[in-house]
Structures are given as C-alpha cells and as structure tokens.
Amino acid sequence: MHEYSIVQALLERVESEAALRGARSVARLTVSIGELSGVEADLLAKAYETFRERTICERAELEIRPVGARWECPSCRTPFERGALLRCATCDSPARLAAGDEIVLDRIEMEVA
Ligand SMILES: [Zn+2]
C-alpha cells in the first residue's frame, strides 16, 4: 500500500531529525496532505498506528491537516473557483495547481533530554 511507504519514509525522517537534536521522544507530528496527493488520510493514520511501535514516535500523536486543491492562473495569479473552467478568462492561460498535491511534514514536537 502506498500509505505504508509514506509512513516509513516519514518515520525515518523524524528519527534522523530527532537524532540530530538529541531528542528522547517525539510528542506530536503534523503532516499536511493535499486533496490531490493520492494519499488517503484514514489509511495514512492506520499505517502510522502499525509502524510507530518501537520507534521514537511510539507515543507521538499524528495530526493530519487536509489541504484542499487550489488552482490559479500562472500569469495573473487569479484564483479559480472550484469546478470552474480551468482556463483564465483574462490571459487565456491554462490553470496551474497552486496547492493540493503536497505531502508535507510540517512540524515535529520532540522532547530533548
Ligand atoms: Zn490570468
């Protein structure tokens, strides 16, 4: 499952960040998941529950922030309404995705010894 490999990469990243800062444990993680990222928040949470055992994240809560898709014109930056034709009425440029395809580790709260 796609979400499993994302969680594994996430945990590896958190472990190296924690090691770098001499952290004893991690209290909380915040991850932004775009609506068009292809990641299911439910599956991600489930995968996290499975993989966090015996890692530095064993007691860390995972907060998932959903990010809605947002489109804009690459020339004039006009935002597009949801469901609108994805071409700018002013510039005739095709819309560009400005947000919604991301998978970002926003924040790690850790306890430093
Ligand atoms: Zn435009």
Side-chain angles (χ1 to χ4, degrees):
M1 195 195 298
H2 182 49
E3 282 73 10
Y4 277 40
S5 52
I6 291 169
V7 165
Q8 273 174 327
L10 185 73
L11 289 172
E12 276 170 28
R13 167 95 186 278
V14 172
E15 282 193 327
S16 67
E17 294 281 339
L20 216 62
R21 289 166 178 77
R24 278 182 311 171
S25 65
V26 175
R28 194 181 180 85
L29 300 177
T30 309
V31 179
S32 289
I33 301 295
E35 153 179 38
L36 302 178
S37 66
V39 175
E40 296 280 345
D42 288 359
L43 294 178
L44 192 74
K46 201 173 281 179
Y48 177 72
E49 290 305 319
T50 306
F51 282 108
R52 71 167 162 170
E53 273 182 50
R54 286 185 295 279
T55 73
I56 197 162
C57 294
E58 195 158 24
R59 289 188 302 278
E61 207 181 309
L62 175 66
E63 184 187 331
I64 297 174
R65 288 184 184 154
V67 180
R70 214 178 62 231
W71 298 83
E72 67 178 20
C73 171
S75 312
C76 69
R77 297 292 163 93
T78 300
F80 288 79
E81 295 292 328
R82 185 171 279 266
L85 188 68
L86 292 176
R87 184 167 281 275
C88 182
T90 312
C91 322
D92 200 34
S93 302
R96 177 180 66 189
L97 191 63
D101 62 345
E102 62 270 76
I103 304 171
V104 180
L105 176 58
D106 288 321
R107 202 174 143 88
I108 309 171
E109 285 172 37
M110 46 188 136
E111 276 174 42
V112 179

